Amino acid sequence: MSKPEILQLGSYSDRDETELGKHFTLHRYFELTDAEKTTFLASKGSDIRAIATRGDLAVDATLINALPSLELISVYGVGYDGVDLSAAKARGIKVSNTPDVLTKDVADLAVAMLLTAGRRMIDASEWVRTSQWQAQGMFPLNTRVHGRRAGILGLGRIGFEIANRLMGFEMSIAYSGRQPNPKASQWQYIDNAVELARNVDVLFVSLAACPETKHIVNKEVLEALGPNGIIVNISRAANIDEIALLEALENKTIDYAALDVFENEPNINPRFLELDNVLLQPHQGSGTFETRTAMGDLVKDNIAAHFAGQALLTPVEL
Ligand code: 8YV
């Protein structure tokens, strides 16, 4: 029997591509020029039965509607904000993602980003490398991390794991979300982002992105966080008004930002590169061998389940 034809929208690890290739015929759409994409869709579009995409990539209505035989969109990532869900739903196309398997790695990175930012570890490393240690002596003092007040904007799976880890640093935890989480009675619920920011020293942004959360971290939230405040974003760039953030960093009205996600990544706003109060990460929250392998397997297993007529392992509710 011929293998189902899959449109692949971005690269995966060699191991994941090999595994997927054993079961499906992969079309490496992301390697085509715009003109080649148009030709491909016209000649092969009707053979494509599934899309394999990533959390950081878009699957828009134009693409969905150019694929008349499309049955499934499988996202390599927990976030599916890039997928036009209404266009998929209108056509009865299923969507799957890769929740749970990446939660702890993303939480680890978030905490590492706080420690790196708070203790100025990148500057400190430069201090050693550029011999300022010998020339100038002690590295400038920084503010302690343990015991400070953390705010978690979005206490979902990842937010929860971040909060759990911060307990080990004796930090007090407050959180915000649509409603209080019954499993989080040990932490303070604050029902809006501005008040949350006003009451904490470090604001972690761990919300799933959707139209309602777009720019939820705006100028007012950043002002409330204040000049000693640190912001850590491991979710989606769209959750923060990036221009307001750049202004706050440039004017030092907040202390520091540690960011794993950016508007228009990987072509990030060059204003970030001029700043000495940002930690820049290349959207690597889930980027460990172990987690990416589990994510690749879940993408493959969801597609395989679908073509075997079985329920998806991790469906997105449409
Ligand atoms: C990316 C992510 O999918 O889980 C998500 O939502 O954004 C990430 O895990 C990963 O970086 C591959 O692009």
Side-chain angles (χ1 to χ4, degrees):
M1 215 172 68
S2 66
K3 297 194 259 181
E5 309 227 9
I6 312 287
L7 196 68
Q8 186 186 343
L9 297 196
S11 63
Y12 301 123
S13 69
D14 290 347
R15 180 263 176 205
D16 290 344
E17 296 205 6
T18 306
E19 283 299 311
L20 283 165
K22 285 182 193 163
H23 304 271
F24 315 112
T25 301
L26 296 175
H27 296 278
R28 298 169 68 83
Y29 190 66
F30 60 99
E31 288 180 337
L32 304 182
T33 62
D34 286 350
E36 287 167 344
K37 284 179 178 164
T38 307
T39 308
F40 176 87
L41 292 177
S43 62
K44 287 285 295 170
S46 55
D47 296 334
I48 299 295
R49 297 178 63 199
I51 286 176
T53 182
R54 297 195 317 220
D56 57 328
L57 302 173
V59 186
D60 61 18
T62 311
L63 180 60
I64 290 172
N65 293 328
L67 302 170
S69 310
L70 187 64
E71 298 166 36
L72 172 67
I73 300 169
S74 187
V75 182
Y76 176 91
V78 64
Y80 45 83
D81 48 298
V83 179
D84 188 327
L85 294 183
S86 33
K89 189 173 177 183
R91 291 258 319 274
I93 294 162
K94 294 177 185 166
V95 179
S96 65
N97 66 341
T98 62
D100 299 317
V101 293
L102 48 71
T103 302
K104 291 185 178 183
D105 277 338
V106 179
D108 285 355
L109 189 79
V111 175
M113 286 165 69
L114 166 61
L115 293 170
T116 307
R119 299 304 307 271
R120 302 296 198 262
M121 287 172 67
I122 303 293
D123 290 345
S125 179
E126 280 307 295
W127 194 261
V128 179
R129 284 179 187 280
T130 58
S131 303
Q132 291 178 81
W133 195 8
Q134 291 99 317
Q136 298 193 55
M138 278 205 301
F139 183 65
L141 304 186
N142 41 61
T143 306
R144 67 163 52 142
V145 171
H146 76 267
R148 294 183 87 186
R149 301 167 304 164
I152 314 283
L153 186 54
L155 197 75
R157 285 177 275 237
I158 294 171
F160 211 91
E161 285 296 329
I162 294 171
N164 267 336
R165 281 158 176 67
L166 299 179
M167 301 285 282
F169 293 92
E170 299 159 14
M171 297 183 81
S172 66
I173 312 286
Y175 72 97
S176 210
R178 262 182 245 129
Q179 68 255 325
N181 184 330
K183 285 188 274 172
S185 54
Q186 69 277 38
W187 301 323
Q188 185 192 5
Y189 177 68
I190 298 180
D191 73 0
N192 73 83
V194 176
E195 282 313 307
L196 181 70
R198 204 183 308 289
N199 284 282
V200 300
D201 304 304
V202 185
L203 185 64
F204 288 88
V205 186
S206 48
L207 290 158
C210 62
E212 296 78 55
T213 65
K214 186 171 165 66
H215 291 188
I216 187 167
V217 177
N218 55 18
K219 190 167 186 280
E220 202 186 350
V221 171
L222 294 166
E223 274 167 11
L225 187 59
N228 297 320
I230 295 176
I231 190 159
V232 180
N233 189 10
I234 44 70
S235 60
R236 285 289 185 269
N239 288 331
I240 300 183
D241 177 343
E242 205 170 74
I243 297 303
L245 177 63
L246 279 161
E247 277 165 14
L249 290 164
E250 285 161 356
N251 299 325
K252 308 246 190 286
T253 55
I254 67 167
D255 180 38
Y256 213 98
L259 307 169
D260 190 40
V261 285
F262 302 85
E263 293 287 0
N264 199 31
E265 60 189 46
N267 304 308
I268 73 169
N269 190 321
R271 282 166 68 185
F272 280 115
L273 307 178
E274 303 299 317
L275 294 168
D276 61 4
N277 50 356
V278 284
L279 172 68
L280 307 172
Q281 294 290 293
H283 198 151
Q284 65 132 336
S286 64
T288 64
F289 290 117
E290 297 89 340
T291 282
R292 288 285 167 85
T293 298
M295 289 164 68
D297 284 347
L298 206 39
V299 166
K300 182 192 70 190
D301 293 346
N302 271 302
I303 302 176
H306 172 76
F307 287 118
Q310 295 161 5
L312 296 178
L313 281 77
T314 47
V316 169
E317 295 304 329
L318 298 181

